[in-house]
Amino acid sequence: MANDTIKLQAEARTKFGKGAARQIRRDHKIPAVMYGHGAEPLHITLVGHDAMMALKNPNALLTIVLDGSEQLALAKDVQRDPIKPVIEHIDLVIVRKGEKVIVDVSVHLEGEAAPETLVNLDNSSLQVEVEATHIPESVTVSVEGLEAGTLILAGAIELPAGATLVTDPEALVVNVTQQISAEALEAELAEAEAEAGIEHEPSEEEAAEIEAEAAAADGDDAEGDGEKSEDA
């Protein structure tokens, strides 16, 4: 459970627009807005490095320190640069102790399934309702010894105390299937390519085999013609 908060120092933001945001980022800070519980949206800036480190923790509970006062908050939306490892903007939602929030919690698999099986994680996270100060870092699902054909649905996963499942209980989370052999996989691929009309040029080895078979066939035909001539 994530009980401890991460403190982030903040400053009030009075300048807005793309130009102001670029200047904030040049100063190694991140523009952010904090809202919730009927309060007016509060525009702030956060120290860039500290905020980036804090948000490496899933569902990190943050204590935003502004002008000496503290406010608990969760990151609702994090806008990242599509190319550079930079956070462009953060939306923070105000929370209070004892309040319940809905968050996505990652699914962690442990153990080894039965031999010659594949474990497919169809849903890598579950949506749960928990107290803001008791958000689990992950939900653990054991696949130890599971046989092919085993399905684990969201409703069958044991959640931490105090957590309530919001995800559809019938949602498939883990699917254990039979491992396919290399030969079967190659055959399936060849069949799919044939149905799609895809043709491949033979490799050098395949070409050599084809030539050898053709030469052998020609030799057999020539031998057969010779026998016919002698009979005549």
Short mmCIF file of all heavy atoms in Angstrom, two decimals, residues 68-126:
data_model
loop_
_atom_site.label_atom_id
_atom_site.label_comp_id
_atom_site.label_asym_id
_atom_site.label_seq_id
_atom_site.Cartn_x
_atom_site.Cartn_y
_atom_site.Cartn_z
N GLY A 68 3.47 27.64 1.97
CA GLY A 68 3.42 27.14 3.35
C GLY A 68 2.27 26.20 3.65
O GLY A 68 2.27 25.55 4.69
N SER A 69 1.27 26.13 2.77
CA SER A 69 0.15 25.21 2.99
C SER A 69 0.35 23.94 2.17
O SER A 69 1.04 23.95 1.15
CB SER A 69 -1.18 25.88 2.61
OG SER A 69 -1.20 26.17 1.22
N GLU A 70 -0.26 22.84 2.64
CA GLU A 70 -0.10 21.55 1.97
C GLU A 70 -1.45 21.02 1.49
O GLU A 70 -2.47 21.21 2.15
CB GLU A 70 0.55 20.54 2.92
CG GLU A 70 1.96 20.94 3.35
CD GLU A 70 2.61 19.88 4.22
OE1 GLU A 70 1.91 18.91 4.60
OE2 GLU A 70 3.82 20.01 4.51
N GLN A 71 -1.42 20.37 0.33
CA GLN A 71 -2.64 19.82 -0.24
C GLN A 71 -2.33 18.46 -0.86
O GLN A 71 -1.41 18.34 -1.68
CB GLN A 71 -3.21 20.76 -1.31
CG GLN A 71 -4.43 20.20 -2.03
CD GLN A 71 -5.59 20.00 -1.07
OE1 GLN A 71 -6.11 20.95 -0.50
NE2 GLN A 71 -6.00 18.75 -0.88
N LEU A 72 -3.11 17.44 -0.50
CA LEU A 72 -2.94 16.12 -1.10
C LEU A 72 -3.53 16.12 -2.50
O LEU A 72 -4.58 16.70 -2.76
CB LEU A 72 -3.65 15.05 -0.26
CG LEU A 72 -3.07 14.71 1.11
CD1 LEU A 72 -3.95 13.67 1.80
CD2 LEU A 72 -1.64 14.21 0.99
N ALA A 73 -2.84 15.43 -3.41
CA ALA A 73 -3.31 15.39 -4.79
C ALA A 73 -2.79 14.14 -5.50
O ALA A 73 -1.78 13.55 -5.11
CB ALA A 73 -2.85 16.63 -5.55
N LEU A 74 -3.52 13.75 -6.54
CA LEU A 74 -3.10 12.65 -7.42
C LEU A 74 -2.98 13.20 -8.84
O LEU A 74 -3.73 14.09 -9.24
CB LEU A 74 -4.14 11.52 -7.42
CG LEU A 74 -4.24 10.65 -6.16
CD1 LEU A 74 -5.47 9.74 -6.28
CD2 LEU A 74 -2.99 9.82 -5.97
N ALA A 75 -2.02 12.66 -9.59
CA ALA A 75 -1.87 13.06 -10.99
C ALA A 75 -3.00 12.44 -11.80
O ALA A 75 -3.13 11.22 -11.87
CB ALA A 75 -0.52 12.62 -11.52
N LYS A 76 -3.84 13.30 -12.37
CA LYS A 76 -4.98 12.82 -13.16
C LYS A 76 -4.59 12.62 -14.62
O LYS A 76 -5.01 11.68 -15.27
CB LYS A 76 -6.12 13.83 -13.06
CG LYS A 76 -7.41 13.41 -13.76
CD LYS A 76 -8.09 12.29 -13.00
CE LYS A 76 -9.46 11.99 -13.58
NZ LYS A 76 -10.12 10.87 -12.87
N ASP A 77 -3.77 13.53 -15.12
CA ASP A 77 -3.34 13.45 -16.52
C ASP A 77 -1.93 14.03 -16.63
O ASP A 77 -1.67 15.12 -16.10
CB ASP A 77 -4.30 14.21 -17.44
CG ASP A 77 -3.90 14.10 -18.90
OD1 ASP A 77 -3.80 12.97 -19.40
OD2 ASP A 77 -3.66 15.15 -19.53
N VAL A 78 -1.06 13.29 -17.30
CA VAL A 78 0.32 13.74 -17.50
C VAL A 78 0.59 13.81 -19.00
O VAL A 78 0.54 12.80 -19.69
CB VAL A 78 1.33 12.79 -16.82
CG1 VAL A 78 2.76 13.29 -17.05
CG2 VAL A 78 1.04 12.67 -15.33
N GLN A 79 0.84 15.02 -19.49
CA GLN A 79 1.12 15.21 -20.92
C GLN A 79 2.63 15.20 -21.12
O GLN A 79 3.35 16.01 -20.53
CB GLN A 79 0.52 16.52 -21.41
CG GLN A 79 -0.99 16.58 -21.28
CD GLN A 79 -1.55 17.95 -21.64
OE1 GLN A 79 -0.92 18.72 -22.35
NE2 GLN A 79 -2.75 18.25 -21.13
N ARG A 80 3.10 14.27 -21.96
CA ARG A 80 4.53 14.13 -22.19
C ARG A 80 4.88 14.49 -23.63
O ARG A 80 4.06 14.31 -24.54
CB ARG A 80 4.98 12.69 -21.91
CG ARG A 80 4.69 12.25 -20.47
CD ARG A 80 5.12 10.81 -20.23
NE ARG A 80 4.73 10.33 -18.91
CZ ARG A 80 5.46 10.47 -17.82
NH1 ARG A 80 6.66 11.05 -17.91
NH2 ARG A 80 5.05 10.03 -16.64
N ASP A 81 6.08 14.99 -23.83
CA ASP A 81 6.58 15.29 -25.16
C ASP A 81 6.70 13.97 -25.93
O ASP A 81 7.21 12.99 -25.40
CB ASP A 81 7.94 15.98 -25.08
CG ASP A 81 8.43 16.46 -26.44
OD1 ASP A 81 8.87 15.62 -27.25
OD2 ASP A 81 8.36 17.67 -26.69
N PRO A 82 6.19 13.91 -27.19
CA PRO A 82 6.22 12.64 -27.93
C PRO A 82 7.63 12.18 -28.31
O PRO A 82 7.82 11.02 -28.66
CB PRO A 82 5.39 12.96 -29.19
CG PRO A 82 5.47 14.44 -29.33
CD PRO A 82 5.54 14.99 -27.95
N ILE A 83 8.60 13.08 -28.25
CA ILE A 83 9.96 12.72 -28.65
C ILE A 83 10.94 12.81 -27.48
O ILE A 83 11.67 11.87 -27.19
CB ILE A 83 10.43 13.63 -29.80
CG1 ILE A 83 9.50 13.48 -31.01
CG2 ILE A 83 11.87 13.30 -30.19
CD1 ILE A 83 9.80 14.43 -32.13
N LYS A 84 10.93 13.94 -26.80
CA LYS A 84 11.88 14.16 -25.71
C LYS A 84 11.34 13.58 -24.40
O LYS A 84 10.12 13.51 -24.20
CB LYS A 84 12.14 15.66 -25.53
CG LYS A 84 12.67 16.35 -26.77
CD LYS A 84 12.77 17.86 -26.53
CE LYS A 84 13.20 18.59 -27.79
NZ LYS A 84 13.24 20.06 -27.56
N PRO A 85 12.23 13.16 -23.50
CA PRO A 85 11.79 12.66 -22.18
C PRO A 85 11.41 13.80 -21.25
O PRO A 85 12.04 14.02 -20.21
CB PRO A 85 13.02 11.88 -21.68
CG PRO A 85 14.17 12.61 -22.29
CD PRO A 85 13.70 13.08 -23.65
N VAL A 86 10.37 14.55 -21.64
CA VAL A 86 9.99 15.76 -20.92
C VAL A 86 8.49 15.74 -20.64
O VAL A 86 7.69 15.37 -21.50
CB VAL A 86 10.35 17.02 -21.74
CG1 VAL A 86 9.82 18.28 -21.06
CG2 VAL A 86 11.86 17.13 -21.94
N ILE A 87 8.11 16.14 -19.43
CA ILE A 87 6.69 16.32 -19.10
C ILE A 87 6.29 17.74 -19.46
O ILE A 87 6.94 18.70 -19.03
CB ILE A 87 6.43 16.05 -17.61
CG1 ILE A 87 6.72 14.59 -17.28
CG2 ILE A 87 4.99 16.39 -17.24
CD1 ILE A 87 6.55 14.24 -15.81
N GLU A 88 5.23 17.89 -20.24
CA GLU A 88 4.80 19.21 -20.70
C GLU A 88 3.77 19.85 -19.76
O GLU A 88 3.74 21.08 -19.61
CB GLU A 88 4.24 19.11 -22.11
CG GLU A 88 5.28 18.69 -23.15
CD GLU A 88 4.75 18.80 -24.56
OE1 GLU A 88 3.53 18.63 -24.75
OE2 GLU A 88 5.56 19.06 -25.46
N HIS A 89 2.92 19.03 -19.15
CA HIS A 89 1.87 19.59 -18.29
C HIS A 89 1.31 18.48 -17.41
O HIS A 89 1.28 17.31 -17.81
CB HIS A 89 0.74 20.21 -19.13
CG HIS A 89 -0.24 21.00 -18.34
ND1 HIS A 89 -1.33 20.41 -17.73
CD2 HIS A 89 -0.31 22.32 -18.03
CE1 HIS A 89 -2.02 21.35 -17.09
NE2 HIS A 89 -1.43 22.50 -17.26
N ILE A 90 0.86 18.86 -16.21
CA ILE A 90 0.28 17.88 -15.28
C ILE A 90 -1.06 18.40 -14.77
O ILE A 90 -1.15 19.56 -14.34
CB ILE A 90 1.21 17.63 -14.08
CG1 ILE A 90 2.60 17.16 -14.54
CG2 ILE A 90 0.60 16.59 -13.14
CD1 ILE A 90 3.61 17.08 -13.42
N ASP A 91 -2.07 17.55 -14.83
CA ASP A 91 -3.35 17.84 -14.19
C ASP A 91 -3.38 17.09 -12.86
O ASP A 91 -3.19 15.86 -12.83
CB ASP A 91 -4.51 17.36 -15.06
CG ASP A 91 -4.79 18.33 -16.20
OD1 ASP A 91 -3.99 19.23 -16.42
OD2 ASP A 91 -5.81 18.13 -16.89
N LEU A 92 -3.61 17.82 -11.78
CA LEU A 92 -3.66 17.23 -10.44
C LEU A 92 -5.08 17.34 -9.89
O LEU A 92 -5.72 18.38 -10.02
CB LEU A 92 -2.70 17.95 -9.50
CG LEU A 92 -1.21 17.93 -9.88
CD1 LEU A 92 -0.43 18.94 -9.06
CD2 LEU A 92 -0.64 16.53 -9.70
N VAL A 93 -5.56 16.26 -9.28
CA VAL A 93 -6.88 16.29 -8.66
C VAL A 93 -6.70 16.25 -7.15
O VAL A 93 -5.94 15.43 -6.61
CB VAL A 93 -7.77 15.12 -9.15
CG1 VAL A 93 -7.15 13.78 -8.84
CG2 VAL A 93 -9.17 15.23 -8.58
N ILE A 94 -7.39 17.16 -6.47
CA ILE A 94 -7.29 17.26 -5.01
C ILE A 94 -8.00 16.07 -4.35
O ILE A 94 -9.10 15.69 -4.75
CB ILE A 94 -7.93 18.58 -4.52
CG1 ILE A 94 -7.13 19.78 -5.06
CG2 ILE A 94 -8.01 18.63 -3.00
CD1 ILE A 94 -7.81 21.12 -4.82
N VAL A 95 -7.34 15.47 -3.36
CA VAL A 95 -7.95 14.38 -2.59
C VAL A 95 -7.80 14.68 -1.11
O VAL A 95 -7.00 15.53 -0.71
CB VAL A 95 -7.31 13.02 -2.93
CG1 VAL A 95 -7.54 12.64 -4.37
CG2 VAL A 95 -5.81 13.03 -2.62
N ARG A 96 -8.58 13.97 -0.30
CA ARG A 96 -8.53 14.15 1.14
C ARG A 96 -8.38 12.80 1.83
O ARG A 96 -8.78 11.76 1.28
CB ARG A 96 -9.81 14.83 1.63
CG ARG A 96 -9.96 16.26 1.13
CD ARG A 96 -11.31 16.84 1.47
NE ARG A 96 -11.43 18.22 1.00
CZ ARG A 96 -12.58 18.87 0.89
NH1 ARG A 96 -13.72 18.24 1.21
NH2 ARG A 96 -12.63 20.12 0.47
N LYS A 97 -7.81 12.79 3.00
CA LYS A 97 -7.64 11.56 3.75
C LYS A 97 -9.00 10.93 4.02
O LYS A 97 -9.95 11.60 4.38
CB LYS A 97 -6.91 11.83 5.07
CG LYS A 97 -5.44 12.16 4.90
CD LYS A 97 -4.76 12.34 6.25
CE LYS A 97 -3.27 12.63 6.06
NZ LYS A 97 -2.57 12.79 7.36
N GLY A 98 -9.07 9.61 3.83
CA GLY A 98 -10.32 8.90 4.03
C GLY A 98 -11.20 8.86 2.79
O GLY A 98 -12.13 8.07 2.71
N GLU A 99 -10.90 9.72 1.83
CA GLU A 99 -11.69 9.77 0.59
C GLU A 99 -11.32 8.59 -0.29
O GLU A 99 -10.16 8.18 -0.37
CB GLU A 99 -11.40 11.08 -0.14
CG GLU A 99 -12.09 11.18 -1.49
CD GLU A 99 -11.68 12.44 -2.25
OE1 GLU A 99 -10.79 13.15 -1.78
OE2 GLU A 99 -12.28 12.69 -3.32
N LYS A 100 -12.32 8.05 -1.01
CA LYS A 100 -12.07 6.95 -1.93
C LYS A 100 -11.93 7.50 -3.35
O LYS A 100 -12.63 8.42 -3.75
CB LYS A 100 -13.19 5.91 -1.87
CG LYS A 100 -13.18 5.11 -0.57
CD LYS A 100 -13.98 3.84 -0.69
CE LYS A 100 -13.77 2.95 0.52
NZ LYS A 100 -14.47 1.65 0.39
N VAL A 101 -10.99 6.90 -4.08
CA VAL A 101 -10.73 7.32 -5.45
C VAL A 101 -10.70 6.08 -6.34
O VAL A 101 -10.50 4.95 -5.85
CB VAL A 101 -9.38 8.07 -5.57
CG1 VAL A 101 -9.44 9.39 -4.83
CG2 VAL A 101 -8.22 7.22 -5.07
N ILE A 102 -10.91 6.29 -7.63
CA ILE A 102 -10.84 5.19 -8.61
C ILE A 102 -9.54 5.34 -9.38
O ILE A 102 -9.29 6.38 -9.98
CB ILE A 102 -12.05 5.21 -9.55
CG1 ILE A 102 -13.34 4.93 -8.75
CG2 ILE A 102 -11.89 4.17 -10.66
CD1 ILE A 102 -14.61 5.02 -9.58
N VAL A 103 -8.73 4.29 -9.35
CA VAL A 103 -7.43 4.32 -10.02
C VAL A 103 -7.20 3.02 -10.78
O VAL A 103 -7.85 2.00 -10.52
CB VAL A 103 -6.28 4.52 -9.00
CG1 VAL A 103 -6.37 5.89 -8.35
CG2 VAL A 103 -6.29 3.42 -7.96
N ASP A 104 -6.26 3.06 -11.72
CA ASP A 104 -5.83 1.86 -12.44
C ASP A 104 -4.59 1.31 -11.74
O ASP A 104 -3.60 2.02 -11.55
CB ASP A 104 -5.49 2.18 -13.90
CG ASP A 104 -6.73 2.54 -14.71
OD1 ASP A 104 -7.79 1.96 -14.42
OD2 ASP A 104 -6.63 3.38 -15.62
N VAL A 105 -4.66 0.04 -11.37
CA VAL A 105 -3.55 -0.62 -10.67
C VAL A 105 -3.01 -1.73 -11.56
O VAL A 105 -3.78 -2.55 -12.09
CB VAL A 105 -4.02 -1.19 -9.32
CG1 VAL A 105 -2.87 -1.91 -8.62
CG2 VAL A 105 -4.57 -0.07 -8.44
N SER A 106 -1.70 -1.77 -11.74
CA SER A 106 -1.09 -2.76 -12.63
C SER A 106 -1.20 -4.17 -12.06
O SER A 106 -1.23 -4.37 -10.85
CB SER A 106 0.38 -2.42 -12.88
OG SER A 106 1.11 -2.44 -11.66
N VAL A 107 -1.27 -5.15 -12.98
CA VAL A 107 -1.34 -6.56 -12.62
C VAL A 107 0.06 -7.15 -12.73
O VAL A 107 0.72 -7.03 -13.77
CB VAL A 107 -2.31 -7.33 -13.53
CG1 VAL A 107 -2.28 -8.81 -13.21
CG2 VAL A 107 -3.72 -6.78 -13.38
N HIS A 108 0.52 -7.79 -11.66
CA HIS A 108 1.85 -8.41 -11.63
C HIS A 108 1.68 -9.92 -11.55
O HIS A 108 0.99 -10.44 -10.67
CB HIS A 108 2.64 -7.90 -10.42
CG HIS A 108 3.94 -8.61 -10.22
ND1 HIS A 108 5.01 -8.48 -11.06
CD2 HIS A 108 4.33 -9.50 -9.26
CE1 HIS A 108 6.01 -9.23 -10.64
NE2 HIS A 108 5.63 -9.86 -9.55
N LEU A 109 2.31 -10.64 -12.49
CA LEU A 109 2.24 -12.11 -12.50
C LEU A 109 3.43 -12.70 -11.77
O LEU A 109 4.55 -12.21 -11.89
CB LEU A 109 2.22 -12.63 -13.94
CG LEU A 109 1.07 -12.14 -14.84
CD1 LEU A 109 1.18 -12.77 -16.21
CD2 LEU A 109 -0.29 -12.44 -14.21
N GLU A 110 3.18 -13.77 -11.03
CA GLU A 110 4.26 -14.47 -10.36
C GLU A 110 4.08 -15.98 -10.52
O GLU A 110 2.96 -16.47 -10.68
CB GLU A 110 4.33 -14.11 -8.88
CG GLU A 110 3.17 -14.59 -8.05
CD GLU A 110 3.36 -14.32 -6.56
OE1 GLU A 110 4.27 -13.55 -6.21
OE2 GLU A 110 2.60 -14.89 -5.75
N GLY A 111 5.20 -16.70 -10.49
CA GLY A 111 5.15 -18.16 -10.63
C GLY A 111 5.34 -18.60 -12.06
O GLY A 111 5.43 -17.79 -12.98
N GLU A 112 5.41 -19.93 -12.25
CA GLU A 112 5.60 -20.53 -13.56
C GLU A 112 4.41 -21.43 -13.87
O GLU A 112 4.04 -22.28 -13.06
CB GLU A 112 6.89 -21.36 -13.59
CG GLU A 112 8.17 -20.55 -13.43
CD GLU A 112 8.50 -19.71 -14.66
OE1 GLU A 112 8.01 -20.07 -15.75
OE2 GLU A 112 9.25 -18.73 -14.52
N ALA A 113 3.83 -21.24 -15.04
CA ALA A 113 2.73 -22.10 -15.46
C ALA A 113 3.27 -23.48 -15.84
O ALA A 113 4.48 -23.71 -15.84
CB ALA A 113 1.98 -21.47 -16.63
N ALA A 114 2.37 -24.41 -16.15
CA ALA A 114 2.77 -25.78 -16.50
C ALA A 114 3.68 -25.75 -17.74
O ALA A 114 3.64 -24.81 -18.54
CB ALA A 114 1.53 -26.62 -16.77
N PRO A 115 4.52 -26.79 -17.90
CA PRO A 115 5.41 -26.84 -19.07
C PRO A 115 4.63 -26.78 -20.38
O PRO A 115 3.48 -27.22 -20.47
CB PRO A 115 6.11 -28.20 -18.91
CG PRO A 115 6.03 -28.50 -17.44
CD PRO A 115 4.71 -27.94 -16.99
N GLU A 116 5.28 -26.21 -21.40
CA GLU A 116 4.73 -26.11 -22.76
C GLU A 116 3.43 -25.32 -22.79
O GLU A 116 2.48 -25.67 -23.50
CB GLU A 116 4.54 -27.51 -23.36
CG GLU A 116 5.84 -28.30 -23.49
CD GLU A 116 5.65 -29.64 -24.16
OE1 GLU A 116 4.48 -30.00 -24.45
OE2 GLU A 116 6.65 -30.33 -24.38
N THR A 117 3.38 -24.26 -21.98
CA THR A 117 2.23 -23.36 -22.03
C THR A 117 2.72 -21.93 -22.23
O THR A 117 3.88 -21.61 -22.01
CB THR A 117 1.41 -23.42 -20.72
OG1 THR A 117 2.25 -23.05 -19.62
CG2 THR A 117 0.84 -24.80 -20.49
N LEU A 118 1.81 -21.08 -22.65
CA LEU A 118 2.08 -19.65 -22.79
C LEU A 118 1.09 -18.89 -21.91
O LEU A 118 -0.11 -19.20 -21.91
CB LEU A 118 1.92 -19.19 -24.24
CG LEU A 118 3.00 -19.63 -25.24
CD1 LEU A 118 2.63 -19.18 -26.64
CD2 LEU A 118 4.36 -19.07 -24.85
N VAL A 119 1.59 -17.91 -21.17
CA VAL A 119 0.74 -17.10 -20.31
C VAL A 119 0.53 -15.74 -20.97
O VAL A 119 1.49 -15.00 -21.19
CB VAL A 119 1.37 -16.92 -18.91
CG1 VAL A 119 0.48 -16.03 -18.05
CG2 VAL A 119 1.58 -18.27 -18.25
N ASN A 120 -0.70 -15.44 -21.31
CA ASN A 120 -1.04 -14.17 -21.96
C ASN A 120 -1.74 -13.25 -20.97
O ASN A 120 -2.74 -13.64 -20.35
CB ASN A 120 -1.96 -14.42 -23.17
CG ASN A 120 -1.34 -15.38 -24.16
OD1 ASN A 120 -0.30 -15.10 -24.73
ND2 ASN A 120 -1.98 -16.53 -24.35
N LEU A 121 -1.20 -12.05 -20.81
CA LEU A 121 -1.81 -11.05 -19.93
C LEU A 121 -2.71 -10.17 -20.78
O LEU A 121 -2.25 -9.24 -21.44
CB LEU A 121 -0.72 -10.23 -19.23
CG LEU A 121 -1.18 -9.23 -18.16
CD1 LEU A 121 -1.92 -9.94 -17.04
CD2 LEU A 121 0.01 -8.46 -17.61
N ASP A 122 -3.99 -10.45 -20.78
CA ASP A 122 -4.93 -9.73 -21.63
C ASP A 122 -5.26 -8.34 -21.10
O ASP A 122 -5.59 -7.44 -21.86
CB ASP A 122 -6.23 -10.54 -21.80
CG ASP A 122 -6.06 -11.67 -22.80
OD1 ASP A 122 -5.08 -12.43 -22.66
OD2 ASP A 122 -6.89 -11.79 -23.72
N ASN A 123 -5.22 -8.17 -19.79
CA ASN A 123 -5.43 -6.86 -19.17
C ASN A 123 -4.29 -6.61 -18.20
O ASN A 123 -4.14 -7.33 -17.21
CB ASN A 123 -6.77 -6.81 -18.43
CG ASN A 123 -7.92 -6.42 -19.34
OD1 ASN A 123 -7.97 -5.30 -19.85
ND2 ASN A 123 -8.84 -7.35 -19.57
N SER A 124 -3.47 -5.61 -18.49
CA SER A 124 -2.29 -5.35 -17.66
C SER A 124 -2.60 -4.52 -16.41
O SER A 124 -1.72 -4.30 -15.58
CB SER A 124 -1.21 -4.64 -18.49
OG SER A 124 -1.71 -3.41 -18.98
N SER A 125 -3.85 -4.07 -16.28
CA SER A 125 -4.23 -3.30 -15.09
C SER A 125 -5.69 -3.53 -14.77
O SER A 125 -6.48 -3.96 -15.62
CB SER A 125 -3.97 -1.80 -15.31
OG SER A 125 -4.80 -1.29 -16.33
N LEU A 126 -6.04 -3.25 -13.52
CA LEU A 126 -7.42 -3.33 -13.06
C LEU A 126 -7.81 -1.98 -12.49
O LEU A 126 -7.00 -1.30 -11.85
CB LEU A 126 -7.57 -4.39 -11.97
CG LEU A 126 -7.36 -5.86 -12.36
CD1 LEU A 126 -7.50 -6.73 -11.12
CD2 LEU A 126 -8.34 -6.29 -13.43
#
